[in-house]
Amino acid sequence: MLHKWLDERDERRARRGDEDKKVTDLALDADLAFSAAQNVDSIAEFCAHADHAVANSASFYGWDGDTSDVVWEDGWITFPSSLETDIVENNTVRAKVTQGRSSDHALVVFHHWNAPSRKPQLAQFFAWQGITVVEVAMPYHLERSRPGSSHADYMLSPNLGRTIQSMRQAVLDGRKIVGILNDAGYKKVSVLGMSLGSWVAGLVASHEPMIGKAVLLLTAGSLADMVWTGRATRHIRASLEGKVELSELRKAWAPLSLESYSGQLARSDLALQLVLAERDTVVLPQVSRQLIETLNRSDATPKVLNLDCGHYSLSLPPYILRAGFAGSRLLHRQI
């Protein structure tokens, strides 16, 4: 009975999210994703640039280390994004800081896709344990929303190049926040991401050596597989189907796949906690298991917590409490 109620509740929540999502046209726009891509008009050419980005990911996700343009006041960190887009509002990063008692450990939080607000309860939970929490607005969300948009359609869409640009921007913004925290004296910086935010957190952790711990909620490896099979992204699959095969989408979005960087995620000084939902229809369990298998083959030893709930019902007790305490144990663990 409980599981039937959870499944029905998740489906109602998913249907509400469908209201503003539209089937649109496939667009490559490779120049948005890759600086060297000009006049790309085939998926094969796009995938060649994606292969190069993965092979040179230290450069693709690299940033210059400059934090001179940062303003930190009244509990907010503000700075211009390292990657400028054609949406002015999206080019200023805002992050809310909830100060913990500790002066040496900070947690950077990346919210889920289409998040309507930050999570004060989450911030207070970890701040109460002494950890300073920094909740960053991801591209096209919250203060960075595109004027006139009903949801963050520029963050994840059938525009393959813009999706890569948006995710890359989120990673660069995240790495800059890590640098800001380091400048402020924090010796330990961890990341936590939820759903789409878990991909961002994972990409940051795989490319930022300062990150020692990562908590990934409702995550998987291949963003392409998540979009192709997930309940929340049916409109994107409908936009792509018949024009792009799943195998091609995997190659095109390989720079966004955590499986592409399993070696970096398996480094000895990085501890991973994955929290998965067995009844998830947005990030299917089999897609999550593919990431775990890839990490295991790379000799990573992630902690994995499987909860018998759905994607949206993870926010309900007791599931959210179990997820929170699993994250807390990892963050306080000595490695």
Side-chain angles (χ1 to χ4, degrees):
M1 182 65 75
L2 172 62
H3 292 154
K4 182 173 185 289
W5 179 81
L6 289 175
D7 294 344
E8 291 174 347
R9 181 185 183 278
D10 269 35
E11 177 57 23
R12 287 196 300 272
R13 172 61 182 81
R15 282 200 298 268
R16 287 202 303 272
D18 288 340
E19 294 172 0
D20 297 319
K21 297 173 182 174
K22 308 296 182 187
V23 175
T24 57
D25 294 326
L26 163 70
L28 296 179
D29 284 349
D31 58 310
L32 295 179
F34 315 111
S35 59
Q38 300 296 326
N39 303 315
V40 171
D41 57 9
S42 74
I43 189 66
E45 291 178 274
F46 191 105
C47 292
H49 285 283
D51 286 343
H52 184 267
V54 172
N56 297 276
S57 68
S59 173
F60 188 71
Y61 287 119
W63 72 291
D64 60 12
D66 182 15
T67 59
S68 61
D69 53 2
V70 173
V71 176
W72 186 336
E73 60 183 14
D74 299 327
W76 290 88
I77 296 173
T78 306
F79 58 89
S81 178
S82 302
L83 197 162
E84 187 171 306
T85 68
D86 59 349
I87 304 299
V88 173
E89 290 80 359
N90 181 50
N91 295 333
T92 298
V93 184
R94 294 266 288 168
K96 188 177 189 305
V97 181
T98 302
Q99 202 73 41
R101 295 185 306 276
S102 171
S103 60
D104 69 346
H105 193 178
L107 174 67
V108 184
V109 174
F110 300 93
H111 55 72
H112 62 82
W113 187 36
N114 296 318
S117 63
R118 292 176 174 83
K119 303 288 185 184
Q121 297 92 340
L122 181 149
Q124 291 161 10
F125 175 78
F126 288 110
W128 176 76
Q129 298 175 43
I131 300 172
T132 292
V133 180
V134 181
E135 299 174 277
V136 60
M138 294 205 301
Y140 305 106
H141 286 82
L142 308 178
E143 303 89 3
R144 306 174 68 177
S145 296
R146 181 170 65 87
S149 63
S150 58
H151 67 290
D153 55 342
Y154 271 27
M155 181 81 188
L156 183 62
S157 76
N159 187 313
L160 306 189
R162 182 180 286 126
T163 296
I164 291 179
Q165 181 192 55
S166 301
M167 293 290 287
R168 180 176 177 233
Q169 183 180 36
V171 174
L172 297 181
D173 296 341
R175 290 199 66 184
K176 186 162 183 173
I177 287 176
V178 174
I180 294 165
L181 292 167
N182 182 48
D183 290 348
Y186 288 93
K187 298 179 180 64
K188 296 182 291 185
V189 183
S190 305
V191 291
L192 181 150
M194 296 167 276
S195 195
L196 186 62
S198 73
W199 268 266
V200 177
L203 290 169
V204 171
S206 63
H207 290 88
E208 176 50 66
M210 279 195 60
I211 300 299
K213 295 170 184 175
V215 180
L216 309 181
L217 309 178
L218 306 171
T219 194
S222 169
L223 190 69
D225 282 85
M226 185 277 280
V227 165
W228 201 262
T229 61
R231 174 66 179 83
T233 49
R234 289 177 178 174
H235 66 297
I236 298 179
R237 175 172 177 169
S239 302
L240 299 176
E241 210 160 16
K243 303 161 191 171
V244 174
E245 299 293 330
L246 174 56
S247 59
E248 294 173 318
L249 187 62
R250 286 173 180 148
K251 293 177 182 177
W253 280 352
L256 309 180
S257 174
L258 298 187
E259 293 173 13
S260 298
Y261 313 108
S262 59
Q264 288 106 302
L265 290 170
R267 69 177 194 267
S268 60
D269 60 348
L270 177 65
L272 295 173
Q273 172 71 63
L274 277 56
V275 178
L276 311 176
E278 287 292 328
R279 314 184 74 81
D280 201 334
T281 60
V282 175
V283 182
L284 298 191
Q286 56 263 39
V287 182
S288 299
R289 284 193 289 270
Q290 290 170 10
L291 172 61
I292 296 170
E293 291 168 4
T294 302
L295 289 172
N296 288 338
R297 286 195 297 270
S298 297
D299 295 326
T301 54
K303 299 283 187 181
V304 181
L305 174 63
N306 289 290
L307 298 175
D308 199 5
C309 62
H311 195 85
Y312 304 107
S313 49
L314 177 68
S315 63
L316 300 176
Y319 311 110
I320 191 60
L321 298 175
R322 292 187 63 193
F325 284 117
S328 177
R329 283 193 297 272
L330 184 89
L331 294 176
H332 288 91
R333 195 177 100 191
Q334 298 297 318
I335 60 171

